[in-house]
Amino acid sequence: MEALFATVTGFLAASGLYLALRGRTFPVVVGLTLLSYAVNLFLFSTGGLTTNGAAVIRDGVDYYADPLPQALVLTAIVIGFAMTAFSVILAMRVRGDLGSDQVNDQRGEESKEDKS
Amino acid sequence: MSLPLIVLLPLLGSLIPLLSNNRQRTLNAWSTALLPAIALGMAISHAPGVISGEVYHFSMSWVPQLGLDLAFRLDGLSLLFLLLILGIGLLIILYSRYYLSPDDSMPRFYAYLMLFMTSMIGIVMADNLLLLWVFWELTSLSSFLLIGYWYQQSEARRGARMALAVTGMGGLAMLAGFLLIGHIVGTFDMQTVLDSRDLIQADPRYLPALLLVLLGAFTKSAQFPFHFWLPHAMAAPTPVSAFLHSATMVKAGVFLLARMHPALAGSQLWLYIVTLTGLVTMIYAAYFALLKYDLKGVLAFSTVSHLGMITMLFGLDSKMAVAAGLFHILNHAMFKATLFMSAGIVDHETGSRDIRKLSGLRRSMPMTAALAGLAAASMAGVPLLNGFISKEMMLTETLETGILGGLAWLIPVLATLGSVLSVAYSLRYVRNVFFGPEAQELPKTPHEAPFLMRLPMLLLVALCVVIGLLPALIVTGLLGAAAQVTILPPRPELHLAIWHGFNLPLLMSVIALAGGVGIYAVRRKLFAFQRQFPQRNASMIFEHNVRSLLHWTQQAIDRFENGSLQRYMLWLIIAVLFLTGSGLLDLTQLRGPRQLQALDGLLIAGAVITILAGLGTAVLHRRRLVSLMMLSVVGLMVSLAFARFSAPDLALTQLAVEVVTVILLMLALFFLPQRTPKESSGARVVRDVLLAAGFGGIVASLNYAMLTRPLDTISGFFLENSVSGGGGHNVVNVILVDFRGFDTLGEITVLCIAAIGIYKLLNRLRLFMPSSDSEGRPWSRDLHPMLLGTVSQSLLPLALLVSVFIFLRGHNEPGGGFIAGLVTAVALILLYIARGVDWTQQRMSFQYQPIAVVGVAIAALTGLGSWAFGHNFLTSAFGHFSIPYIGEIELVTPMLFDLGVYLTVVGATLMILANLGKLTTRHRPSKENEKETV
């Protein structure tokens, strides 16, 4: 199970990174979102993979899922949403003001290389 | 307790001139002088104790984590400098009153001057290495302000910048040296450091520490090859030069040598570096002092030369040399301050500082001429003046040293040469300016300066003469006390006298005087000789170097920062791959000892779907809508994974966020191109795929390695204390709103800021509104389907009820402010989608920005509320209450905090989405227009 979980995290991270390296804004935003899923899964798994653990304290129960990574990831999900929102709207603004959805500075000479 | 006051009073004094205006000049000067005068009185009141050998300490903790204490000491060395700084400082205040023209802002001048005085006092009284450094940098900054006082002149700006660059750099080097010393000794406490000589010098870090500290001292004291800033600092008003270059700024460097002498001196390294640097500086600068035409230029180079002499004395391996150095610090401060003041008076009264133009001024200003003559004689080392005694001591000590082995004779010979030059330029200063025929064509008709402007010079010269005549009586006590903390025992007997009988040093003095007169007589040949060499202006070289440095750094920045996000990502990823990859290489095997858990079919199916959807998002990214749908599958699967691994709170949150994210991205996609054109070359795709595969591989390996190793968690604390300490059974929620409430407060603040940022980004955004999708199909006419509208409208109260329920139970069951907020937001957004922005806004006319802000405020105020009850920030309180008909419920302050979280999430989410949605309405083509186009 651990190997499978790690594989999923790895695939999501790889797909996210590939998208983040694209030259247009929308794939980059999607890639960042995907990457944040991978990061959340990774963070979550730092507490171990608990099957059928109790999430809420009950008398007589002593098998709990680790709550700390959960608390961390919960806020990370919300912040991740804020980041996705901010970057996608930045992308819209760039399109509105510069008329382009490329991620590279069009004025620089390097961008020619990246357009190739 | 009065020790910190000695530092504090001048600091307060820097505010006093600012209260006054530029017109009441005399009042301004006197009120400024008041506080330092009190400080001087306090210093003098400690003098008897200090002279009898006592060392006063004061210490207060400041930043204990750094080892920085607000610690002051008053010993002989501090006292010697304090008297100089405060005494000469007061005279300078008086002198400046007459020097500054009515156009110059007097309050600003005095404020800078007092700030500078404070920082100097701080240096000499600091009882902690770091504190010393703080004041050291303060002198660099305040001297920058003083040198650049006439900021209208580009020369002053350049001089100030150069002084700041050189001394500031030296200060940073010194800090590094102090940190090394602190590491060696284990503390920054001055006394401990001074007592740890053997420990420091035995340590291998002694060499770098010594070099760095010396770099600080040499830059400050303008030692060769860092001397070049000092002549350019002459662009400052003359009272500033008189203060900075006689008693204070440049003396800070030699002070540091004296202060650190017990700890750092005594090694061969110190002996050679310090002595030879001092010797070279002394001769080099003395030669150039002779060549300068500007009065202040002569004085500047002579200052450098005398500082070289003091440095050399501190370097020599004889104990008397250190005492001679201390004595010369005192003497030099007196005659040099006088000479600078005389230069200022000459400049002030004649309008010129050019030696070639000035002549015969003794007729028009006899008193200034007499005083300057006496001070210059003291500088030259004429008998019966104080300069003679310390110079004689210096010559004596150069004879004693064993440095350079068989070539030891070089030292006294070169020292004598320095003295010869010193005599020559002193003579030139006095004779050319005050003697000879009356000067013609001066900008102003010269006349004597006001008496009060001459008074400071008079006092200083009187001291020079008295010390010169009765050295033993006046300064033995003070010097003895200073030497006591500078020289390690056994200390030599301090024996100051004018007459030591016929001996070699006396002969050297006679040679110096005769040789100086001789060189002065043939000075024109020397000038002619010097004219063969090209003129080199340190300022231009310095500016040129600064410019080329800027040029190079700009080029380096351009190379890395070329505006390509892809390039930045590449560097970032390569760094990550390298750092984490190297960590993985250290493992002996990937799999840890922990027992693996069993697989089942459901898990495998889930994993396969997630992987395929993730790959699909990437592979199909050109068709953006499809890619987005794939992304939503991933999000959903992640949410299921959370549910599977016992995290119901996370599953709920992820689900709600997923809905919001997809709606957001769909809306955004409406305004962006529907497809990504094919741009990347094959090579680039291969590179990115390889990078991504490498990254994924490392993430997976790291995750696997982590999951298979034993888990050491601190969560036991939370599980045990959640009910008793936080009053809740849902540990995740208790962590969020209670144990780690401060983090959550930060996070909702970030959320709120992001939403406000988005709000501003959307403001006045004009975007092209497509009327059809990428394949040319027009958007549906049925914008707001009846069915969806009805369902969402009837669902709204239910959804709101659910969110209230989730909110209320959140402390004890899965739920809480975050999830409830997201559920509310989703329900409202659904209404927006179903009914349109206009319809919804007519019915819900409120703004969302205040809601988010109020949410953050409630959370913060809840935290602050615990202060009112004398608890720490965000301490929670809870209790059970019985309410009729409803039954027993539990009320906790974290619930109020959670309400803040709830409001922030609702406000921020809707602020983002509703404002984005509004874009679709503003100039959307009306139906008539659409008909025409279709």
Side-chain angles (χ1 to χ4, degrees):
Chain A
M1 190 161 81
E2 280 79 2
L4 192 67
F5 188 90
T7 315
V8 171
T9 317
F11 266 102
L12 291 186
S15 309
L17 179 69
Y18 178 78
L19 285 175
L21 285 170
R22 296 303 90 207
R24 299 280 174 160
T25 49
F26 194 77
V28 171
V29 173
V30 172
L32 287 179
T33 314
L34 207 51
L35 209 53
S36 72
Y37 290 154
V39 171
N40 286 345
L41 282 178
F42 191 107
L43 264 184
F44 172 67
S45 72
T46 54
L49 301 175
T50 316
T51 308
N52 293 329
V56 171
I57 295 194
R58 298 261 183 276
D59 289 337
V61 176
D62 60 352
Y63 183 57
Y64 293 103
D66 195 338
L68 191 59
Q70 295 193 21
L72 290 178
V73 172
L74 201 151
T75 47
I77 292 173
V78 180
I79 293 286
F81 164 69
M83 186 197 68
T84 306
F86 193 86
S87 48
V88 80
I89 289 183
L90 196 63
M92 286 174 59
R93 183 88 211 187
V94 167
R95 180 136 200 267
D97 289 0
L98 302 177
S100 156
D101 71 333
Q102 302 205 353
V103 295
N104 293 335
D105 183 358
Q106 295 302 297
R107 291 159 298 181
E109 46 190 12
E110 277 295 327
S111 52
K112 285 176 203 137
E113 169 207 317
D114 293 314
K115 269 174 84 174
S116 58
Chain B
M1 188 55 219
S2 57
L3 290 195
L5 273 183
I6 297 179
V7 185
L8 207 61
L9 284 176
L11 184 64
L12 284 178
S14 67
L15 298 175
I16 288 184
L18 298 176
L19 301 175
S20 171
N21 63 34
N22 212 14
R23 268 162 292 152
Q24 299 158 306
R25 300 166 72 80
T26 308
L27 176 71
N28 202 341
W30 285 112
S31 58
T32 305
L34 183 67
L35 290 179
I38 297 175
L40 180 63
M42 290 167 106
I44 290 174
S45 75
H46 284 89
V50 171
I51 287 173
S52 67
E54 214 164 323
V55 178
Y56 299 96
H57 294 275
F58 167 87
S59 181
M60 209 171 90
S61 190
W62 187 4
V63 191
Q65 294 88 342
L66 295 179
L68 173 57
D69 294 328
L70 203 61
F72 297 107
R73 65 188 277 143
L74 185 58
D75 55 19
L77 187 63
S78 311
L79 184 68
L80 172 70
F81 273 89
L82 266 186
L83 295 179
L84 283 180
I85 296 164
L86 286 165
I88 296 187
L90 284 169
L91 296 179
I92 294 290
I93 290 175
L94 177 62
Y95 178 85
S96 313
R97 152 72 185 84
Y98 297 96
Y99 179 86
L100 290 178
S101 83
D103 300 335
D104 298 327
S105 163
M106 201 175 235
R108 189 161 65 88
F109 180 84
Y110 278 145
Y112 291 168
L113 194 72
M114 296 304 289
L115 193 65
F116 178 78
M117 197 189 273
T118 310
S119 38
M120 268 318 288
I121 295 173
I123 290 184
V124 300
M125 288 186 66
D127 203 12
N128 178 292
L129 283 183
L130 292 180
L131 187 70
L132 195 160
W133 176 77
V134 169
F135 283 113
W136 184 277
E137 293 295 38
L138 259 181
T139 59
S140 294
L141 288 175
S142 48
S143 67
F144 169 78
L145 294 172
L146 280 171
I147 297 171
Y149 173 74
W150 282 323
Y151 55 82
Q152 307 88 336
Q153 304 172 358
S154 74
E155 205 185 324
R157 293 198 300 269
R158 269 206 300 270
R161 209 161 51 209
M162 194 192 291
L164 181 66
V166 175
T167 59
M169 181 203 75
L172 290 179
M174 193 181 91
L175 173 65
F178 280 175
L179 292 178
L180 281 177
I181 294 175
H183 275 286
I184 296 171
V185 181
T187 171
F188 293 106
D189 176 63
M190 186 68 79
Q191 197 55 53
T192 320
V193 169
L194 295 185
D195 293 340
S196 317
R197 174 167 182 259
D198 296 336
L199 181 67
I200 295 173
Q201 302 204 358
D203 197 281
R205 287 168 289 184
Y206 170 64
L207 172 67
L210 176 68
L211 290 180
L212 288 165
V213 170
L214 287 182
L215 198 59
F218 288 172
T219 48
K220 203 76 159 186
S221 276
Q223 294 299 295
F224 184 84
F226 308 109
H227 62 283
F228 57 88
W229 68 265
L230 196 145
H232 287 277
M234 290 300 139
T238 303
V240 172
S241 308
F243 194 39
L244 262 61
H245 306 316
S246 65
T248 54
M249 174 86 166
V250 294
K251 289 284 166 64
V254 285
F255 168 81
L256 188 71
L257 294 181
R259 177 57 93 204
M260 302 308 288
H261 203 274
L264 297 180
S267 63
Q268 286 290 306
L269 208 59
W270 171 284
L271 174 67
Y272 275 87
I273 298 179
V274 179
T275 309
L276 295 183
T277 307
L279 193 61
V280 169
T281 310
M282 175 177 164
I283 295 173
Y284 176 89
Y287 175 70
F288 280 96
L290 191 57
L291 298 176
K292 289 287 154 189
Y293 292 116
D294 179 12
L295 278 187
K296 283 178 78 178
V298 173
L299 294 178
F301 275 100
S302 81
T303 303
V304 175
S305 172
H306 279 266
L307 287 167
M309 174 178 149
I310 296 168
T311 304
M312 178 187 79
L313 284 170
F314 284 146
L316 286 175
D317 46 358
S318 106
K319 298 197 169 181
M320 263 321 262
V322 178
L326 292 172
F327 190 25
H328 198 66
I329 286 178
L330 183 72
N331 294 334
H332 175 257
M334 289 177 190
F335 63 67
K336 195 47 69 64
T338 312
L339 285 170
F340 267 115
M341 288 187 212
S342 74
I345 289 179
V346 168
D347 186 16
H348 202 253
E349 305 304 336
T350 68
S352 171
R353 289 196 324 233
D354 193 329
I355 292 187
R356 288 167 295 190
K357 287 187 190 154
L358 297 167
S359 181
L361 289 179
R362 80 191 147 90
R363 289 182 196 85
S364 49
M365 39 178 79
M367 172 113 174
T368 309
L371 293 173
L374 278 171
S378 174
M379 176 158 81
V382 173
L384 301 183
L385 290 165
N386 58 353
F388 169 73
I389 302 170
S390 49
K391 182 160 282 187
E392 190 89 337
M393 285 169 83
M394 183 271 286
L395 293 171
T396 311
E397 296 315 315
T398 56
L399 290 168
E400 308 272 308
T401 180
I403 187 176
L404 295 178
L407 293 176
W409 56 270
L410 258 177
I411 306 285
V413 168
L414 289 174
T416 313
L417 175 64
S419 306
V420 167
L421 292 168
S422 178
V423 172
Y425 63 67
S426 305
L427 185 58
R428 177 165 170 256
Y429 182 88
V430 177
R431 181 150 186 284
N432 285 24
V433 175
F434 297 106
F435 291 85
E438 194 119 26
Q440 308 297 324
E441 294 171 18
L442 285 173
K444 288 186 202 167
T445 316
H447 58 85
E448 191 62 279
F451 173 73
L452 282 177
M453 196 170 177
R454 284 174 283 142
L455 180 67
M457 296 168 64
L458 187 67
L459 290 174
L460 288 171
V461 169
L463 266 175
C464 284
V465 175
V466 173
I467 294 176
L469 292 174
L470 302 165
L473 186 68
I474 310 285
V475 290
T476 305
L478 184 60
L479 276 187
Q484 196 193 352
V485 290
T486 323
I487 307 173
L488 290 175
R491 299 186 184 88
E493 185 83 11
L494 197 59
H495 189 65
L496 303 174
I498 311 174
W499 182 249
H500 289 277
F502 292 103
N503 53 14
L504 201 49
L506 186 68
L507 178 66
M508 288 156 77
S509 278
V510 173
I511 293 176
L513 285 172
V517 175
I519 288 204
Y520 174 72
V522 297
R523 66 187 182 281
R524 286 181 210 291
K525 294 215 171 88
L526 206 60
F527 293 168
F529 170 73
Q530 185 61 27
R531 254 177 245 128
Q532 314 169 50
F533 298 101
Q535 283 250 329
R536 295 206 314 158
N537 186 337
S539 168
M540 275 159 67
I541 299 172
F542 179 80
E543 292 284 320
H544 174 75
N545 286 342
V546 167
R547 263 199 301 277
S548 41
L549 183 69
L550 283 178
H551 179 69
W552 281 106
T553 44
Q554 188 59 48
Q555 276 196 334
I557 288 173
D558 287 346
R559 193 156 299 170
F560 282 102
E561 213 184 295
N562 59 0
S564 163
L565 181 69
Q566 289 166 301
R567 173 69 66 91
Y568 306 157
M569 294 282 290
L570 186 71
W571 285 115
L572 195 70
I573 296 305
I574 288 174
V576 168
L577 286 181
F578 183 75
L579 289 174
T580 41
S582 64
L584 279 172
L585 287 179
D586 291 342
L587 294 181
T588 45
Q589 58 168 8
L590 187 61
R591 198 190 142 179
R594 213 163 142 202
Q595 187 76 39
L596 292 185
Q597 299 180 46
L599 277 173
D600 60 47
L602 208 60
L603 276 174
I604 295 175
V608 168
I609 295 175
T610 316
I611 290 174
L612 286 181
L615 287 177
T617 316
V619 173
L620 299 172
H621 79 271
R622 280 187 220 299
R623 297 161 69 186
R624 292 182 171 181
L625 189 62
V626 182
S627 175
L628 189 54
M629 281 154 68
M630 292 288 186
L631 180 74
S632 69
V633 174
V634 178
L636 206 61
M637 295 310 293
V638 169
S639 151
L640 287 175
F642 287 144
R644 168 68 179 75
F645 296 115
S646 321
D649 287 285
L650 286 191
L652 281 172
T653 315
Q654 176 69 44
L655 194 65
V657 164
E658 192 52 37
V659 172
V660 185
T661 307
V662 170
I663 293 174
L664 170 82
L665 290 179
M666 291 275 273
L667 260 173
L669 191 55
F670 177 66
F671 293 100
L672 292 170
Q674 307 297 306
R675 282 168 180 273
T676 309
K678 190 165 168 53
E679 284 178 335
S680 304
S681 62
R684 174 159 289 246
V685 170
V686 169
R687 187 196 82 179
D688 290 351
V689 166
L690 285 178
L691 263 180
F695 183 70
I698 282 191
V699 168
S701 314
L702 208 59
N703 201 355
Y704 183 68
M706 188 188 73
L707 280 172
T708 50
R709 277 173 173 69
L711 179 69
D712 188 16
T713 175
I714 57 167
S715 296
F717 171 82
F718 299 116
L719 290 167
E720 275 162 30
N721 291 293
S722 177
V723 179
S724 56
H729 288 81
N730 181 0
V731 190
V732 176
N733 187 265
V734 174
I735 291 176
L736 282 177
V737 298
D738 192 340
F739 290 128
R740 309 294 309 161
F742 195 57
D743 296 355
T744 311
L745 182 62
E747 268 142 351
I748 58 173
T749 312
V750 171
L751 184 67
C752 186
I753 291 171
I756 291 172
I758 288 169
Y759 177 68
K760 289 306 286 178
L761 276 177
L762 287 173
N763 194 18
R764 291 165 182 268
L765 178 61
R766 296 259 176 275
L767 275 174
F768 167 69
M769 188 92 57
S771 59
S772 65
D773 72 356
S774 54
E775 262 122 56
R777 289 173 296 212
W779 298 116
S780 163
R781 299 276 171 78
D782 189 10
L783 289 177
H784 305 300
M786 177 74 168
L787 198 60
L788 185 61
T790 317
V791 169
S792 63
Q793 216 173 322
S794 46
L795 262 181
L796 183 66
L798 203 60
L800 291 180
L801 193 67
V802 168
S803 77
V804 169
F805 174 66
I806 287 178
F807 175 79
L808 284 177
R809 72 172 205 164
H811 215 50
N812 289 317
E813 300 283 335
F818 274 113
I819 302 167
L822 286 165
V823 170
T824 308
V826 169
L828 289 174
I829 289 164
L830 190 62
L831 195 67
Y832 271 98
I833 293 175
R835 291 293 190 180
V837 175
D838 295 330
W839 186 92
T840 317
Q841 287 221 313
Q842 277 169 11
R843 286 155 184 83
M844 295 197 302
S845 57
F846 45 85
Q847 295 276 311
Y848 294 109
Q849 293 83 294
I851 298 184
V853 174
V854 164
V856 176
I858 289 180
L861 286 176
T862 312
L864 290 177
S866 40
W867 279 355
F869 299 97
H871 293 292
N872 285 330
F873 190 64
L874 277 172
T875 307
S876 64
F878 55 89
H880 294 263
F881 300 91
S882 186
I883 297 174
Y885 303 113
I886 298 180
E888 182 163 312
I889 67 159
E890 188 184 17
L891 279 182
V892 293
T893 54
M895 196 163 263
L896 202 59
F897 184 82
D898 220 9
L899 180 68
V901 174
Y902 170 82
L903 289 177
T904 312
V905 171
V906 173
T909 313
L910 281 166
M911 205 196 303
I912 297 168
L913 282 166
N915 283 309
L916 182 56
K918 262 189 227 165
L919 280 186
T920 59
T921 61
R922 200 172 302 153
H923 38 218
R924 186 166 177 89
S926 63
K927 286 199 170 156
E928 287 75 17
N929 290 345
E930 222 168 33
K931 265 176 201 153
E932 283 164 23
T933 50
V934 171

